[in-house]
Amino acid sequence: ELLNIKYKVLEHSPTYTLKELKDVKKKLNGTICQSFLVTDRKMVYFLLVFEENKTVNLKTLAQKLRVSELKYASELDLLGVLRKEKVGNVTPFDIANDFNDIVILVIDSKLKDKTLIFQPDGNTKTIAIQFNDLVKFINYEEHQCIYI
């Protein structure tokens, strides 16, 4: 409310596949996003946000970001950095738990001007938010963001 961010939350039966999630997508009329926490050799953390069907080549991405080799963060990293206990269930909203402000967001620029769909906690709740409102949240949290 403080930031005047508009979003929709849809609670639904568990979704286990992209096909099931596409039914939710129709109701929210947006773009399903995938998010991953990765790290380089210097333990710099990046939270990647891309469209659902986009394949992310970590080697190419590392070159674009001008960092050493990227790898997926471990369960310990998720717990220590974002206070997350489940691997594979990361969203940009998790930066609110990055109390040390060490995570850099990397967002696909093709998501601009779209309604973005995320599943923040498990597979029974889905959030739809406009790209610009997500940027407001990121700025409020004072996190660095790179658009590629």
Side-chain angles (χ1 to χ4, degrees), residues 30-48:
T31 301
I32 298 172
C33 295
Q34 58 178 331
S35 305
F36 306 100
L37 186 66
V38 299
T39 184
D40 72 358
R41 290 183 185 160
K42 295 179 181 177
M43 300 308 285
V44 175
Y45 293 94
F46 299 92
L47 200 157
L48 314 180

Side-chain angles (χ1 to χ4, degrees), residues 7-117:
Y7 61 93
K8 292 180 188 173
V9 177
L10 179 64
E11 294 191 25
H12 48 79
S13 56
T15 55
Y16 298 102
T17 65
L18 275 177
K19 185 176 186 262
E20 292 171 335
L21 193 54
K22 286 186 191 238
D23 293 336
V24 172
K25 175 183 176 177
K26 286 178 190 174
K27 292 178 184 174
L28 292 172
N29 193 27
T31 301
I32 298 172
C33 295
Q34 58 178 331
S35 305
F36 306 100
L37 186 66
V38 299
T39 184
D40 72 358
R41 290 183 185 160
K42 295 179 181 177
M43 300 308 285
V44 175
Y45 293 94
F46 299 92
L47 200 157
L48 314 180
V49 180
F50 291 93
E51 219 170 307
E52 66 178 312
N53 296 324
K54 185 156 189 170
T55 302
V56 180
N57 181 317
L58 293 183
K59 186 175 181 179
T60 303
L61 183 59
Q63 291 170 347
K64 285 183 182 179
L65 296 174
R66 295 187 174 138
V67 298
S68 61
E69 176 184 11
L70 290 172
K71 64 177 182 174
Y72 291 100
S74 69
E75 283 187 49
L76 225 67
D77 291 330
L78 285 171
L79 186 60
V81 176
L82 296 177
R83 316 303 188 262
K84 295 291 282 189
E85 295 184 13
K86 293 181 184 177
V87 174
N89 193 24
V90 178
T91 73
F93 308 113
D94 292 323
I95 62 172
N97 296 325
D98 175 21
F99 303 125
N100 296 318
D101 297 329
I102 59 173
V103 174
I104 300 168
L105 283 105
V106 178
I107 300 179
D108 187 347
S109 59
K110 291 180 181 170
L111 294 174
K112 287 184 180 178
D113 301 321
K114 293 187 178 183
T115 299
L116 311 179
I117 296 175

